[in-house]
Amino acid sequence: MRKSLLIAAVLLVLLPCAILAGLVYTPAGLALIATQLDRLERFGVHVEGVSGTLSGPMRIARFELDHPRVRIESHDIEIDLQLRGLLLQTLRTGSLTASDTLVVLRDVQLPPSSRPPRFLPPYLRIDARGVDLSQVRYLHTNGTPVDARRVQGSVTITARRLHARDVRVDAQQFDAEGELRLRAGRPLALAAELNGHWRMPRGDDIALAATLAGTLD
């Protein structure tokens, strides 16, 4: 009797561990999680073509965030997710690569809200290290486009702040490196320190060094 109770107790301990390992380390576990992603569509988040494992590498064929203020679309994403960060309510990556990324900033008048502007829910933090994006296009609210062949860096996002470090941008007209900080608000607060070069049509380069502070407007 005691032996049976001991075996049952061991099974009760091991069963949750086995289920967790199946979710984290097997493609079937990630596929099960992916079936729940449709629930994110009411928040404007669309995810397609999820494969791999949650422990990495995880692949996403297409990601889209469609928010009244911003639209982000990216393809061929590969993520090395560091699961130990989840214990601190942090989504942390060792590396994140993607191609054909579009960022569109929208100038919209939303109804007044008593809620403070936020990038993320208060309980969540994103620490994306080793970000490497190829073929990036940014469209400002006035329609001005900026195309970059490659954007690299690390980004930390909390409810109120976004901090991009070790940023390197390689575009046809310029190259730049530095850091960028955004603070959620109406309007969005911006601070940046950047160095780089502007390429002139005749082949000359102009060295640039800039410190920016103000709002994104």
Side-chain angles (χ1 to χ4, degrees):
M1 182 66 177
R2 291 181 179 178
K3 185 176 180 180
S4 298
L5 290 175
L6 180 60
I7 293 174
V10 171
L11 289 176
L12 286 175
V13 172
L14 292 180
L15 183 58
C17 296
I19 293 174
L20 180 61
L23 290 174
V24 171
Y25 296 106
T26 67
L30 181 60
L32 180 62
I33 295 173
T35 61
Q36 306 301 313
L37 294 176
D38 290 346
R39 299 184 179 185
L40 297 176
E41 293 187 1
R42 64 192 180 101
F43 301 108
V45 177
H46 306 271
V47 182
E48 299 175 2
V50 179
S51 61
T53 65
L54 193 62
S55 61
M58 179 171 62
R59 300 175 182 86
I60 300 173
R62 177 179 174 272
F63 170 87
E64 181 183 4
L65 170 63
D66 193 2
H67 184 271
R69 293 189 181 278
V70 64
R71 176 174 175 260
I72 301 174
E73 183 176 350
S74 196
H75 299 261
D76 301 326
I77 304 164
E78 184 169 309
I79 305 172
D80 176 20
L81 187 63
Q82 297 181 344
L83 297 177
R84 63 181 179 272
L86 296 178
L87 299 176
L88 302 174
Q89 297 180 312
T90 299
L91 292 177
R92 179 175 295 158
T93 69
S95 64
L96 188 157
T97 63
S99 63
D100 297 321
T101 298
L102 173 66
V103 180
V104 180
L105 195 65
R106 295 165 170 166
D107 185 12
V108 295
Q109 297 296 328
L110 297 177
S113 174
S114 59
R115 295 182 179 181
R118 293 171 178 165
F119 294 119
L120 293 173
Y123 54 82
L124 182 62
R125 175 188 176 97
I126 295 177
D127 189 6
R129 305 174 183 178
V131 177
D132 191 346
L133 310 178
S134 60
Q135 303 304 319
V136 179
R137 162 163 278 208
Y138 167 78
L139 286 176
H140 196 54
T141 54
N142 60 7
T144 301
V146 178
D147 293 309
R149 291 185 286 257
R150 197 171 188 183
V151 177
Q152 298 172 289
S154 298
V155 182
T156 298
I157 308 174
T158 63
R160 298 299 307 278
R161 297 181 183 276
L162 182 152
H163 185 192
R165 308 173 305 280
D166 302 321
V167 176
R168 295 178 297 279
V169 180
D170 177 20
Q172 182 175 359
Q173 290 184 315
F174 68 93
D175 62 77
E177 60 182 27
E179 64 177 302
L180 170 72
R181 294 177 297 276
L182 297 176
R183 188 175 70 249
R186 302 183 183 94
L188 201 65
L190 164 71
E193 295 85 35
L194 299 170
N195 294 280
H197 299 84
W198 188 270
R199 302 183 181 96
M200 302 299 290
R202 296 182 179 180
D204 297 328
D205 288 353
I206 298 177
L208 303 174
T211 298
L212 308 176
T215 67
L216 198 59
D217 293 343

